[in-house]
Amino acid sequence: MSASRRSFLALPAVLFAADAAAQSVSWFPVEGADKSFFVEMPGAPVYKVLDTASPGGTPFVYHSYSLEYRRLSFVAQSALYPADVDVRQPRLNLQSALDDRAQRLAGGKWTSVDWKTVQGAPAVESTGPLAGGNALRQLVVLKGRQYVSLGYLGPADALRAPEAERFFRSLRLLS
């Protein structure tokens, strides 16, 4: 049997082993402090409240949960936009979030942008390169005034790793 054939046959076993490793980790349930979402992370995250203000100057907070796990970073954030943020056209709000985060990407552009809905709410999932060979995958959802964002940072070849897939699939909007 040729070496390339052996490698091809071994691929499903390698993928299964990686998926099994992701499943064997003790995943930690995270419910947003504002009761807006639920997600799972492969460990207990650090919780922070980040003060910010709307473009109109109204103060509000982001609830942020971050975890460094092996060579990967997981972040979940939520906020309730104040009344002076116009959310009648959610795609504009989501595009603003994309534009803001794109400034931190190598080259300032997303590699992929996928507009979708998550539990009936408008959403956008995107991926893009970062300096040093890492990449960012994010999902931003806007349900009325409720903003929820998941971010995953890792090596460019790990954006669809079993840990990433489980993290994104575990998202549940609660309010």
Side-chain angles (χ1 to χ4, degrees):
M1 184 181 299
S2 72
S4 63
R5 179 139 171 89
R6 278 192 304 270
S7 295
F8 178 74
L9 291 174
L11 183 59
V14 169
L15 293 175
F16 178 75
D19 190 45
Q23 299 302 321
S24 70
V25 170
S26 203
W27 284 75
F28 189 86
V30 177
E31 185 174 307
D34 57 3
K35 306 292 187 213
S36 63
F37 74 96
F38 169 88
V39 73
E40 293 178 324
M41 292 184 169
V46 174
Y47 171 67
K48 292 181 183 175
V49 176
L50 308 171
D51 293 316
T52 190
S54 70
T58 303
F60 70 102
V61 298
Y62 280 102
H63 299 276
S64 181
Y65 307 82
S66 60
L67 173 68
E68 299 296 321
Y69 173 75
R70 296 182 185 160
R71 59 191 179 133
L72 311 171
S73 298
F74 298 81
V75 177
Q77 292 185 322
S78 66
L80 184 62
Y81 284 151
D84 68 339
V85 174
D86 185 357
V87 294
R88 291 176 294 177
Q89 296 179 327
R91 190 167 175 143
L92 294 177
N93 299 89
L94 295 170
Q95 184 64 54
S96 178
L98 284 174
D99 295 345
D100 180 60
R101 191 64 50 85
Q103 296 173 25
R104 297 175 188 95
L105 297 174
K109 295 176 79 172
W110 292 102
T111 305
S112 70
V113 174
D114 181 21
W115 296 93
K116 55 177 59 183
T117 59
V118 172
Q119 292 176 245
V124 63
E125 186 170 350
S126 53
T127 60
L130 296 167
N134 282 331
L136 172 66
R137 178 178 171 189
Q138 77 170 9
L139 173 67
V140 182
V141 183
L142 188 61
K143 185 177 179 184
R145 296 198 166 284
Q146 189 64 56
Y147 167 96
V148 175
S149 172
L150 300 184
Y152 170 83
L153 178 110
D157 63 354
L159 287 182
R160 300 284 176 200
E163 296 89 350
E165 293 303 316
R166 179 163 178 178
F167 175 58
F168 284 94
R169 279 194 322 260
S170 72
L171 176 65
R172 299 292 176 265
L173 302 176
L174 302 177
S175 60

